[in-house]
């Protein structure tokens, strides 16, 4: 499963918003959500994603950045595990990119390590 909008789903702490101030012509703007241009955004996002599925992570969900892989031994347990994960995702108001989500895959490669 793939999270939709990734970093843009994480709101900045109000006290940190002024640290992201930038200017376009005259007005000043600041980010209300995390941006790709911020330092350590990858690590912060990974930590966030590791905490979201906490009830099911390490039991049957692996997370890498905005991707999640849910594993189950049976179809019945898969339905229960998906329900638990979707409930958790909904609690954090995270959205999934359905065009990049694949379900009921029996075997596959999750992360291609060739660069």
């Amino acid at each position: 499963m793939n999270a939709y909008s990734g970093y843009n789903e994480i709101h900045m702490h109000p006290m940190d918003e002024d640290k992201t101030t930038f200017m376009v012509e005259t007005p000043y703007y600041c980010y209300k959500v995390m941006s790709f241009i911020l330092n350590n955004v990858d690590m912060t996002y990974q930590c966030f994603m590791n905490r979201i599925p906490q009830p099911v992570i390490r039991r049957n969900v692996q997370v890498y950045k905005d991707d999640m892989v849910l594993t189950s031994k049976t179809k019945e347990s898969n339905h229960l595990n998906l329900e638990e994960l979707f409930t958790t995702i909904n609690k954090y108001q995270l959205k999934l990119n359905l065009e990049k989500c694949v379900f009921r895959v029996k075997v596959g490669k999750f992360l291609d390590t060739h660069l």
Side-chain angles (χ1 to χ4, degrees):
M1 291 170 273
N2 183 271
Y4 184 76
S5 296
Y7 306 115
N8 295 326
E9 294 290 320
I10 303 174
H11 292 273
M12 296 284 296
H13 190 282
M15 291 177 54
D16 292 329
E17 289 176 4
D18 63 338
K19 297 173 187 165
T20 67
T21 302
F22 61 96
M23 191 171 126
V24 179
E25 295 185 23
T26 328
Y28 290 93
Y29 298 95
C30 66
Y31 286 97
K32 299 282 187 184
V33 294
M34 290 189 67
S35 167
F36 289 107
I37 65 167
L38 299 175
N39 290 336
N40 297 326
V41 71
D42 286 337
M43 180 64 77
T44 302
Y45 187 73
Q46 184 66 55
C47 289
F48 174 75
M49 289 301 291
N50 286 344
R51 282 197 308 260
I52 282 184
Q54 197 62 36
V56 290
I57 201 164
R58 288 186 178 71
R59 183 172 34 131
N60 58 5
V61 175
Q62 292 79 41
V63 178
Y64 180 74
K65 295 194 180 183
D66 63 348
D67 295 317
M68 292 174 277
V69 175
L70 182 133
T71 57
S72 303
K73 293 184 179 186
T74 66
K75 287 182 183 180
E76 294 78 22
S77 66
N78 188 52
H79 291 286
L80 294 172
N81 294 336
L82 277 172
E83 185 176 341
E84 184 178 18
L85 181 61
F86 289 157
T87 299
T88 304
I89 287 172
N90 192 41
K91 174 183 170 185
Y92 288 92
Q93 299 177 345
L94 186 68
K95 297 168 189 71
L96 296 177
N97 185 347
L98 294 179
E99 292 178 6
K100 292 185 177 182
C101 292
V102 180
F103 297 94
R104 298 185 73 187
V105 176
K106 294 186 181 195
V107 178
K109 190 183 243 185
F110 171 56
L111 180 62
D112 189 2
T113 57
H114 290 77
L115 299 175

